Amino acid sequence: MDDDLRPLILLDVDGVLNPWHRQGPSWLSVDAVCDGVTYPVLLNPEHGPMLLRLARETGAELVWATTWQDDANRAIGPLIGLPELPVIPVGSGAGALLVHPKTPPVADWVNRRPFVWFDDGLGRADRLYLKTHENVDRFRIIDIGPRKGLTERHLRQAADWLAAPRRPAEPSPAT
């Protein structure tokens, strides 16, 4: 499939791959450096292979959409088995009222490619912003509970959406 047409799987770190609480004995508890600061991080080494399988089976491209930016490739990816991934420069976000600072740079970057976004901090305003942005076509935000992080259920939701026939952008949820 042409890379310009491949769907995207956007990955956040904190709350998604690094939840608030350790979810099992196989999880790693490590110190990781982001922007020159060391943070305690909880990581599931199974997440990397699971995400790679999702990308392979759906023909999608994995991309970091996290405030960790390039540090995700150095400090997070190797610990969970991910190769170096493209990074959306979300630190360049110009504010939009009530919208997460990552949302405008993501909208500018996706170039009308369909995407699934695993994140724990996006809401109705982000969905509306994406829905009306000229550079965004169809998308699905998969809300991740930051206490537990990414689960098999979230991966199944992404796989189902990516496998579904083309449909319009995600409808706005009722408030």
Side-chain angles (χ1 to χ4, degrees):
M1 182 181 292
D2 185 343
D3 281 349
D4 291 341
L5 302 176
R6 285 176 62 197
L8 302 166
I9 300 169
L10 308 184
L11 300 172
D12 184 26
V13 172
D14 294 322
V16 176
L17 298 176
N18 173 32
W20 295 351
H21 302 286
R22 178 183 243 150
Q23 299 303 306
S26 65
W27 283 61
L28 305 173
S29 179
V30 298
D31 289 332
V33 177
C34 178
D35 204 23
V37 178
T38 302
Y39 296 96
V41 176
L42 298 170
L43 297 171
N44 180 350
E46 295 176 16
H47 277 153
M50 291 164 53
L51 287 163
L52 289 169
R53 184 173 51 252
L54 173 65
R56 183 179 61 252
E57 290 175 356
T58 61
E61 179 181 10
L62 292 166
V63 178
W64 293 116
T66 174
T67 56
W68 283 73
Q69 297 188 92
D70 290 311
D71 288 322
N73 276 322
R74 288 186 285 280
I76 305 300
L79 295 174
I80 62 172
L82 290 178
E84 187 166 319
L85 303 176
V87 177
I88 299 174
V90 297
S92 65
L97 189 61
L98 304 175
V99 172
H100 194 288
K102 292 189 295 188
T103 302
V106 164
D108 292 339
W109 195 91
V110 296
N111 199 28
R112 301 197 57 79
R113 291 169 67 180
F115 64 91
V116 168
W117 190 354
F118 293 119
D119 203 289
D120 67 314
L122 305 175
R124 183 174 188 271
D126 299 286
R127 286 172 168 81
L128 291 173
Y129 183 93
L130 292 168
K131 186 176 178 183
T132 60
H133 196 282
E134 65 185 20
N135 200 44
V136 175
D137 190 14
R138 61 187 190 101
F139 66 93
R140 168 80 190 273
I141 294 172
I142 298 183
D143 296 307
I144 309 295
R147 295 180 68 76
K148 292 186 176 183
L150 185 69
T151 66
E152 274 286 344
R153 181 177 59 87
H154 300 122
L155 294 166
R156 279 193 307 275
Q157 289 173 348
D160 290 348
W161 188 85
L162 289 164
R166 181 172 169 78
R167 54 184 137 170
E170 174 180 278
S172 303
T175 51

